[in-house]
Structures are given as structure tokens and as C-alpha cells.
Amino acid sequence: MALPTPPLPPDAPRPPAHPTSAMSLLAALLDRSLHQMAEAAADARLFDRETIRAASDVWDNNLFPLFWAASTSDAGERERRATTVLRWMAAFGERRRGWMAEQAAIAGYDVEAHLPPAAPHPPGRDHLGHVMAPQHRITPRTVDELAPDYDLASATVRHLRVERAGTRLTAFLQLVVGRTFAVDAPAPPALLGVWLDDVTAVAFDLADAQGVVLTAGPGRTDVSLGPNGRLRAAGGEYRLDDRSWHLSAAGRRADAVTPPRTPRPGRPSGPPGGEPGPDARAAAVLLHHSMLELRSVRYAARADRVPVRTLCRAFSGAGAAILAAGSRRGTRHREAAFRDLIRTWADQGGPNAARWFSAVLEERAGRPDIIETSLPPDRPSPSIPSSTSAPPSHLGTTAATVLPPAPETAPRAALLMASWTAAHLDHRTERHATAQLQFALPPHGRDPSQAWRVRTVECVEPNSFHLRTEAFRGPGPFTRTGIPGSARTLDLHQGALLVTTTNGWSTSRS
């Protein structure tokens, strides 16, 4: 007797199980985005800021086209519209197309059945016609290609960030690299961005900010920094930000084979779609504004104030619900279904979400009539309490506060992100050196049933910045020492993270 097939992991791609409906697939991609974000914020100790940013960013210019595609009772027309939208989405590049294929497979669809064959993405040209540096996977060959044009041995670290992404670690480095080729006129410094996946080793101190060695081998990428710094990862990518790259040896080779700058063939100048009815538009405006709110976690200082779990709960099942509402026969019935859908979202989000939704609908769609709330019209809408943050004030407000003195017993914390930025000149503006740290902190009080929360702190001109891999090993002893006006230190895991400043620590009030 044959053994039964073992079940697939929850997020493993599955063979297509649904009819190849372009509209159902498009709706499923929206629902997969919301599911991804909810999972990424489910436990603050494993907070995955990049997944939330990337999943919400998909819908910046694809959400209104989705509503357009869904808003017809003609099944054939709906399929034609949805296919147009899927092709528009996939044309944003290999990474976007890969995300669509991965998430569609998890939902049981085959997105490639609705798309033209993937085309290569050669280096592009800027508005002056100069060829631009492409992004490369880090391999022995691509590392060797850097050496003739840029001096990594004298490079300096402008920015370092190591961050948790669920159960993995990622890192980003921005290096100022010297050119070995001549340029026509004074030019801004050349910057080399390095993204590392599945980071396994981290060591960095301020003394390690000059001198870089980049090496790659099978399943391994190493970055040596200064005398003792190191980042080791399973792999990564790099990209040069250098407006003079076209003058380098690699740039001249690329220029010889890159066609002149022309509009991308077959790509429309703007997203597909038409003007929906007023209630469908109100639903689209509300969901779109909420996606922008979710995407704002890309700014670390805002990540602890975005109510990710609340918004994902409110819009759970939105893709299928939009399809059901848009498929109703007759404009009157379709518009009524979208009004009911907005109210359902408000009910799923809870009273605070409903008040925020009502304010968004009034300010962004001119529709204060859809959701009834008890909030007086002359009061600002409160923000949605985030399950991953301390109790917030109003959405969009930012204030700085000095951290309170450390309690007598050391609390516990889990490090989510640590970054350091060197002092530098940015478009003729002097920027101070900064350190930014993001933690998951235990619940307020002694109730273990409450969720951990995210908190971001930063300081200007840190005196020391010491980071080791062990700082990311989960919750550990977290101490703060010092008094205002003297050196103040944050210490996690007994020195694995140690940052000192005389300027005090600040945090967004939330």
C-alpha cells in the first residue's frame, strides 16, 4: 500500500487548484498581501518590517485598477480587465513578477498562465541618456567586476542596518567608494548599496567604518569592515548609485550594448482603469489610504505607530469581498454592496478603526455619510491602537520625548533592528551621525496575555556603537544607565549591543 503524501507546509507553493480565473487570482493576491502583513506583525518579537512594506507597496498603483476590474457584472469583461491589470502589475520588474508567482501558487493559482513570457531587463538609461548601473547578485564574477573601477579598500561605511525579518536576519550597507576612473566634472560621491539575506554573523564597532573587503563563494557572502568588523550571509545583491558610472570601464561596456532610451514597449503610460461609482471609489480610497499607512513602516521611526494587525483584521478577505460586490448586477445594487462592504470593514476593525475610517472617507472621498460614529465633527479622529505598540495618540503626529530613567530591575527586550549612520553631507545639508534601535518590549504591567510591542529609539552623535550577532538571539536583559547630561548607555544581552551617547535618547511618542 502506498504511503500517504505528507501535507505541505502552510506557505509552500501548491499546484493550481482553482479555475484559471484572472479576476479570482487578482483578488487572491490582495488577500495574500493582507495575510502576509498580518503574519509579519503577529508577534512583535519576530516583527518583519520589510514584508509589511513590500506587501503594501504592491497596491500603491494597483488597487484602483483592481476595483475597476471587479466592477462589472459581465464575466467576460471582468476577465479581460483583470488580465490587463495582472500584466500591468507584472511589468514592474522581475521582483514584482516573482512575488506574484509565489503568492499565486500559495493560493492555488498559476499567474504565468495570464502573463506574456518574461522579458530580460537590461540596464536602463537616465534622462540624459547615460546608461545606469544595474543591480547584481553578489557572485565571484560580479565582485571582480567592481575592482577595476572602484577602490573598496579605502571605502567608508555611511550606513549600516541589521534587521530581523521574522526568524531570519537581513542587513544593508551603504558604502562611499572612491572611483579609479576620471570624471568630466565634480560629482557627488559614488555610493555602493549592499543588501544581504540570511545573515549569520555580525560584528561592528565605530572603528570598523573604513576599509571594505567583499568576497563571495557557494552559498556564502562575506563583508569585512575595518580591522575587526564582519557581516556574513547566505547571499546578497549590490547596486552602484553613481551618476558617473557610464564613464567607468563597466559602464562603457554596458553603453555599447544598451539601446537608446525609449518608452518600454507594450507598457501603458498609466495604470489601467476607469472612474468607478462614488461608493466603489470610496471603498477604494479607504483601502488605498490604509495601504499607504501600512507602507509607512518603511520609516523605522513610524513602525511602532502603525496598527498593522488592526488594519489587516479590518480588511481580512477584502479581495474576495470586492469581487463579490463588484459582480452585482445593476449599478444601484453594486453601489449598495460597496457601502455595506465599507461598514463591514469598520465593524471588523473595531470602534477606533471605524472612527479613523470615517475621517479618511470624509477627508479623502468626501463621504462622511457611510460610517456613523459618535465622534464630534470638530474633534480629530484618533488613531487606531496598535497591538504592536504602546498606546498611540493621533495618527500622523510626531513628538520626541526623553526616555525615563531605568528602573531598578532590568527589563527584557528583543532587538529587531540596529542601524548607524555616519555624519555626512546630503545635498549641501550637514547630517549628524545617528544610531537608531528598534526593540520588541514586553507588555505593560504584569499581564502575560498582552502582546509584546514595538518601540523605536534613536540618538545623535553616538560615542560608541557595538553590535554582535548575539544581540539578535531573542529577549534578553536590557539595561539603561546614566543620567541627563552625562554618557547614557543602552545595553542588551550583556554587551552584544552597546550604544553610548551624551545627547540622550529620544522616541516617537506613541
Side-chain angles (χ1 to χ4, degrees):
M1 183 176 69
L3 292 174
T5 303
L8 291 170
D11 274 358
R14 290 163 167 74
H18 300 295
T20 56
S21 163
M23 187 63 237
S24 295
L25 167 55
L26 185 57
L29 288 176
L30 175 58
D31 287 334
R32 279 299 309 161
S33 295
L34 291 163
H35 180 76
Q36 273 191 300
M37 290 187 283
E39 283 196 330
D43 185 343
R45 291 164 292 185
L46 300 175
F47 191 67
D48 188 345
R49 190 165 63 99
E50 173 56 22
T51 288
I52 298 167
R53 183 211 63 79
S56 55
D57 185 59
V58 169
W59 301 103
D60 183 12
N61 54 4
N62 292 307
L63 196 57
F64 285 96
L66 182 150
F67 274 83
W68 165 72
S71 297
T72 174
S73 59
D74 184 331
E77 174 63 16
R78 192 162 56 243
E79 284 299 292
R80 285 189 290 274
R81 292 181 182 184
T83 299
T84 300
V85 176
L86 288 171
R87 293 183 174 186
W88 158 263
M89 289 177 68
F92 274 82
E94 296 175 13
R95 195 179 300 272
R96 173 64 55 79
R97 185 169 180 145
W99 177 89
M100 293 171 65
E102 176 188 67
Q103 297 306 312
I106 292 171
Y109 293 90
D110 177 15
V111 74
E112 295 296 339
H114 302 278
L115 303 177
H121 288 266
R125 293 182 182 274
D126 62 18
H127 67 288
L128 297 174
H130 297 152
V131 68
M132 297 185 295
Q135 191 150 323
H136 291 291
R137 291 297 301 176
I138 298 175
T139 65
R141 179 184 62 80
T142 58
V143 170
D144 289 343
E145 288 178 353
L146 280 171
D149 296 318
Y150 297 94
D151 181 13
L152 289 181
S154 64
T156 59
V157 177
R158 174 172 289 187
H159 179 75
L160 164 74
R161 182 177 70 244
V162 182
E163 184 164 13
R164 177 168 294 286
T167 59
R168 302 177 299 108
L169 289 182
T170 63
F172 171 68
L173 272 172
Q174 187 180 65
L175 307 172
V176 181
V177 291
R179 305 178 183 90
T180 60
F181 56 91
V183 296
D184 295 335
L191 302 176
L192 177 66
V194 179
W195 292 263
L196 299 174
D197 303 317
D198 296 313
V199 174
T200 57
V202 178
F204 182 77
D205 289 273
L206 295 185
D208 299 320
Q210 183 162 9
V212 178
V213 178
L214 180 60
T215 58
R220 194 179 79 181
T221 297
D222 283 294
V223 185
S224 297
L225 301 167
N228 299 303
R230 183 182 68 169
L231 295 172
R232 173 170 290 175
E237 299 180 348
Y238 76 76
R239 183 171 186 173
L240 282 157
D241 179 7
D242 182 9
R243 66 173 61 176
S244 301
W245 182 75
H246 62 286
L247 300 174
S248 69
R252 293 179 188 278
R253 290 193 299 271
D255 183 69
V257 297
T258 301
R261 185 172 187 249
T262 57
R264 193 179 301 176
R267 179 161 178 77
S269 57
E275 185 64 26
D279 295 303
R281 181 180 178 277
V285 166
L286 175 59
L287 183 49
H288 182 258
H289 190 72
S290 298
M291 285 293 184
L292 297 182
E293 179 72 15
L294 288 162
R295 191 179 66 174
S296 69
V297 302
R298 63 182 174 175
Y299 304 109
R302 275 196 56 81
D304 53 1
R305 298 187 292 128
V306 177
V308 179
R309 287 196 282 182
T310 299
L311 290 174
C312 290
R313 181 180 70 244
F315 295 110
S316 177
I322 292 166
L323 173 54
S327 302
R328 296 288 296 271
R329 290 186 177 276
T331 301
R332 184 167 60 87
H333 292 101
R334 189 158 52 247
E335 288 289 278
F338 278 116
R339 286 196 301 275
D340 290 342
L341 179 55
I342 292 172
R343 291 166 184 148
T344 297
W345 290 341
D347 290 342
Q348 292 179 170
N352 286 311
R355 285 192 287 270
W356 187 72
F357 288 177
S358 180
V360 171
L361 289 169
E362 180 176 6
E363 296 167 8
R364 306 279 174 168
R367 295 300 306 275
D369 55 307
I370 298 179
I371 300 176
E372 294 183 2
T373 69
S374 58
L375 187 70
D378 58 339
R379 286 182 55 199
S381 174
S383 67
I384 310 168
S386 169
S387 54
T388 62
S389 70
S393 57
H394 301 307
L395 270 179
T397 62
T398 303
T401 182
V402 177
L403 287 178
E408 293 183 4
T409 57
R412 294 174 66 81
L415 183 62
L416 301 175
M417 184 272 291
S419 74
W420 174 79
T421 304
H424 62 281
L425 195 65
D426 181 17
H427 300 292
R428 299 182 181 180
T429 300
E430 290 188 3
R431 305 291 183 186
H432 294 289
T434 58
Q436 190 174 57
L437 308 172
Q438 191 170 82
F439 299 99
L441 300 180
H444 291 293
R446 299 182 179 273
D447 185 354
S449 67
Q450 297 298 311
W452 284 58
R453 63 199 193 278
V454 175
R455 176 59 59 91
T456 307
V457 299
E458 60 184 58
C459 70
V460 177
E461 301 289 358
N463 304 95
S464 67
F465 184 92
H466 175 92
L467 181 64
R468 296 295 183 268
T469 317
E470 292 76 18
F472 288 95
R473 66 186 177 193
F478 176 53
T479 61
R480 302 194 300 271
T481 60
I483 59 175
S486 67
R488 309 181 73 187
T489 299
L490 292 185
D491 182 328
L492 180 65
H493 282 299
Q494 298 175 328
L497 170 73
L498 187 67
V499 185
T500 302
T501 178
T502 56
N503 295 310
W505 292 91
S506 65
T507 177
S508 298
R509 191 186 302 277
S510 47

